[in-house]
Amino acid sequence: DGYPNKGQEPFPLPDLTKKEVFHYEWASPENWKNAKQHLNSSYDNATVRLSARKNWELMRDLPWYSGHFRWTGFDYYGEAGYVHGGWPFRLFMGGALDAAGFKKDLFYFYKSQWTTEPMVHLLPQWTHPDVAQGTLIPVWAYSNADEVELFLNGKSLGKDKPGTQWDEMQCEWLVPYEPGKLVAKAYNNGKLVAETMQATAGTPSAIQLSIDCKYTDAVKDNMAIVTAQTNDDKGVMYPYGENTFFYYVDGAAKIISLENGDPADTTKNYGLMQRKAFMGLSNAFIELDNHTTPVALTVGGIFGEKQLRKSNQVTIDVETIVLRGKLAEKPMTVYYTTDGSEPTTKSTQYVQPLRVVLGTTVKAIVVRDAKVILKMEEAFDVNHGLFWGSESDFVTDQAGEIQAVSGTIKGGIIATENGKKYVDFVNHEGHIIWYQENDGSKGQFAMTIWYATDAAYTDCPMDLIVNSKKVTTLKFPISNNKKHDWNKVQTTIPLKSGANYIELRTTGNGGPKILMLKVN
């Protein structure tokens, strides 16, 4: 949440002023292929043609509108290249639920419109360690009640009523940030009918296990989905949790799949017994046999902030949940090392949280009945986990910019100069084709191309083609590439609503070095 997906309409957010509210998925900016590779906003402004609210308004109010199809119920594998910049993104993130089945904030918008049982849902989560106190944060509540009142640390911030127009279907407030508790109370006819809360979490330190649901066939239970959640020491969910969960099954059952919903986690989700959390959560899909023998799942983890930004405390936790029958509780002992060696029963026994420094890898084993049932490992260092910097940390590909190397290339080669990757046609013929998504209306858009050339005998003209139609021939005046200077050439192009393809094609004289383009 909190990333406003710049340039995507309709639903601009206020400027939050503090770049620290932007949370990317990798620790190193150089791992980012282009500016599309970030997580979608929770505010339903990362749209496919229409926001969920506008789509529902049309469905609800137009009598000849018999139904609608929303893209999509779940996130799904594929099409990540079109919208999210390609590998390592593996999922299209348009769903109301993610690939693990976890409900997004968008799910609760639909619930607020489709159900009658009183409900209220609050977003965003309220753990923002890099946000200065007083920074204004948009707070939304989805509810089917008459009105909702918002409280911050016990103080009322006023009431709001959900509207019927597409941009008024949520209750909303701009809240000066301070840690603590956000509480939303929903009222019908002045009577409290629903309540929810978001609380600021401390250091990740514990596992919470729950059975998300059970599927029951005509004979016996044979399937369970177990959710592992990262909490702090007070039981508050830590929303950035990304430490790995390690699994062990007791009884006649097997893990079919482990899935966390992370659109950029390319680890296979089957055949393994471990999976990192994504935003604090991960699901285990477990198949039980058709007998009545007891089955339990044990989950362990080594918990702490991957980069030790606010705390260098590391906690080891192991929890067990019974899926069928009864199992006698058996004591478990944890042994660990911090020097890179493999732990044994002669290593240090874990009894309380430990303090580590950057560059430490904590390894641990869980022993029960003289048997090692879990082997665990977690590294804590810079360039691990979530990236907490600002957009200014990116040398190229600021918001709206697309690298040349992320296009479809023919005839050119990918080269690197002064730390920047670009496409060089080295006097050969060829083209670059970029995909450009336009979620707004069709029209004319400004386009800028960054280039360099030191070919003294030509300005290397290239045809500019949009959606298979030539728009113009661009000329690229000589630039002083020896000083690593990148010149700009600007023009306007027509884009249709939806999918567009932009092509630069050589015209017989080769082409310049192309760094990136930007359409706005």
Side-chain angles (χ1 to χ4, degrees):
D1 58 65
Y3 193 95
N5 271 8
K6 294 181 179 177
Q8 296 203 20
E9 298 289 343
F11 221 94
L13 293 177
D15 181 1
L16 303 188
T17 69
K18 289 294 183 179
K19 301 298 185 183
E20 291 87 348
V21 299
F22 298 171
H23 301 299
Y24 300 91
E25 176 55 16
W26 295 281
S28 301
E30 59 267 22
N31 289 335
W32 284 80
K33 189 175 179 182
N34 59 54
K36 288 185 177 182
Q37 292 192 332
H38 55 67
L39 308 180
N40 278 357
S41 167
S42 293
Y43 295 90
D44 187 35
N45 63 344
T47 63
V48 180
R49 316 294 181 263
L50 294 173
S51 70
R53 294 182 300 283
K54 184 62 179 178
N55 195 275
W56 175 246
E57 180 188 50
L58 296 173
M59 170 64 211
R60 183 198 63 210
D61 294 345
L62 299 177
W64 47 266
Y65 222 92
S66 59
H68 66 232
F69 177 83
R70 284 300 300 160
W71 201 281
T72 56
F74 284 82
D75 289 353
Y76 60 91
Y77 299 93
E79 294 197 314
Y82 290 133
V83 180
H84 306 304
W87 189 265
F89 274 70
R90 62 190 177 113
L91 297 169
F92 183 92
M93 290 182 279
L97 299 95
D98 68 20
F102 295 119
K103 301 176 181 68
K104 300 184 185 180
D105 296 293
L106 180 61
F107 173 91
Y108 295 96
F109 162 74
Y110 286 119
K111 187 173 182 179
S112 72
Q113 301 300 308
W114 291 352
T115 62
T116 57
E117 181 180 353
M119 57 79 59
V120 60
H121 173 75
L122 195 58
L123 71 127
Q125 49 77 22
W126 206 240
T127 303
H128 302 291
D130 272 17
V131 174
Q133 291 203 33
T135 300
L136 294 177
I137 294 180
V139 173
W140 286 11
Y142 290 131
S143 180
N144 54 12
D146 294 341
E147 59 184 359
V148 177
E149 186 173 12
L150 185 68
F151 296 83
L152 175 59
N153 293 328
K155 179 182 178 181
S156 175
L157 302 182
K159 295 180 179 180
D160 195 16
K161 297 181 178 181
T164 56
Q165 294 184 5
W166 70 270
D167 57 347
E168 298 176 353
M169 291 180 176
Q170 69 283 336
C171 301
E172 56 183 295
W173 301 261
L174 274 178
V175 179
Y177 178 66
E178 66 177 65
K181 292 182 180 180
L182 266 182
V183 176
K185 296 184 178 182
Y187 303 91
N188 279 335
N189 298 319
K191 180 181 178 182
L192 180 65
V193 293
E195 184 174 337
T196 190
M197 179 188 70
Q198 295 280 11
T200 304
T203 303
S205 58
I207 301 171
Q208 177 181 314
L209 299 180
S210 60
I211 300 177
D212 184 64
C213 62
K214 276 190 177 181
Y215 297 104
T216 305
D217 60 19
V219 183
K220 298 180 179 69
D221 296 341
N222 66 349
M223 183 67 70
I225 303 175
V226 177
T227 297
Q229 175 176 304
T230 306
N231 288 350
D232 67 8
D233 59 359
K234 295 180 175 61
V236 178
M237 178 184 172
Y238 182 74
Y240 308 115
E242 52 186 334
N243 302 121
T244 301
F245 295 116
F246 298 83
Y247 297 84
Y248 179 81
V249 177
D250 281 296
K254 62 180 179 180
I255 293 178
I256 298 175
S257 176
L258 298 172
E259 177 58 79
N260 56 18
D262 183 351
D265 183 355
T266 57
T267 307
K268 67 179 182 178
N269 57 8
Y270 55 90
L272 297 179
M273 297 297 285
Q274 63 187 65
R275 186 80 178 203
K276 79 176 185 71
F278 174 62
M279 298 303 175
L281 298 169
S282 188
N283 264 343
F285 298 82
I286 302 170
E287 182 181 31
L288 289 71
D289 68 3
N290 291 323
H291 299 88
T292 58
T293 54
V295 175
L297 178 70
T298 298
V299 184
I302 302 168
F303 298 95
E305 297 178 5
K306 293 289 285 183
Q307 298 178 44
L308 310 180
R309 297 174 57 259
K310 302 296 180 180
S311 171
N312 67 345
Q313 177 176 293
V314 171
T315 303
I316 303 175
D317 191 30
V318 184
E319 301 292 335
T320 298
I321 187 169
V322 176
L323 306 181
R324 186 174 65 196
K326 293 183 179 180
L327 282 173
E329 292 188 12
K330 297 180 179 180
M332 293 178 287
T333 307
V334 178
Y335 301 91
Y336 72 93
T337 63
T338 58
D339 60 1
S341 64
E342 297 300 320
T344 68
T345 54
K346 295 182 179 181
S347 301
T348 304
Q349 182 177 339
Y350 177 80
V351 292
Q352 62 183 12
L354 53 143
R355 304 285 177 175
V356 301
V357 297
L358 288 172
T360 301
T361 296
V362 179
K363 298 183 179 182
I365 57 173
V366 179
V367 179
R368 187 183 67 192
D369 289 339
K371 176 184 177 182
V372 175
I373 63 170
L374 290 175
K375 296 182 66 175
M376 307 185 295
E377 181 175 327
E378 195 77 55
F380 301 90
D381 205 351
V382 296
N383 295 332
H384 278 57
L386 292 169
F387 170 58
W388 290 89
S390 68
E391 289 180 308
S392 62
D393 294 323
F394 293 83
V395 176
T396 62
D397 272 14
Q398 301 299 316
E401 298 168 359
I402 308 175
Q403 290 184 18
V405 296
S406 68
T408 301
I409 304 164
K410 181 178 180 181
I413 63 171
I414 296 176
T416 302
E417 185 171 308
N418 198 29
K420 299 180 180 180
K421 290 185 178 181
Y422 60 91
V423 175
D424 191 348
F425 286 98
V426 289
N427 296 322
H428 294 161
E429 302 304 310
H431 65 245
I432 309 173
I433 301 175
W434 292 275
Y435 175 85
Q436 177 69 45
E437 180 83 10
N438 176 25
D439 284 328
S441 302
K442 67 179 182 179
Q444 292 288 325
F445 293 80
M447 185 184 76
T448 304
I449 296 174
W450 282 258
Y451 75 94
T453 178
D454 51 14
Y457 55 89
T458 179
D459 54 12
C460 302
M462 299 183 77
D463 285 341
L464 174 62
I465 301 165
V466 179
N467 297 324
S468 301
K469 294 182 179 180
K470 181 180 174 179
V471 174
T472 187
T473 297
L474 292 177
K475 294 184 177 181
F476 300 88
I478 304 303
S479 66
N480 188 359
N481 186 231
K482 293 181 180 180
K483 293 184 178 180
H484 310 294
D485 292 334
W486 294 94
N487 282 8
K488 299 177 184 179
V489 60
Q490 296 176 310
T491 187
T492 59
I493 59 172
L495 294 181
K496 61 184 181 181
S497 180
N500 295 269
Y501 293 89
I502 302 171
E503 178 181 356
L504 277 180
R505 181 177 292 273
T506 60
T507 59
N509 295 307
K513 300 172 182 178
I514 304 295
L515 179 66
M516 60 187 173
L517 68 74
K518 180 176 182 178
V519 177
N520 53 15

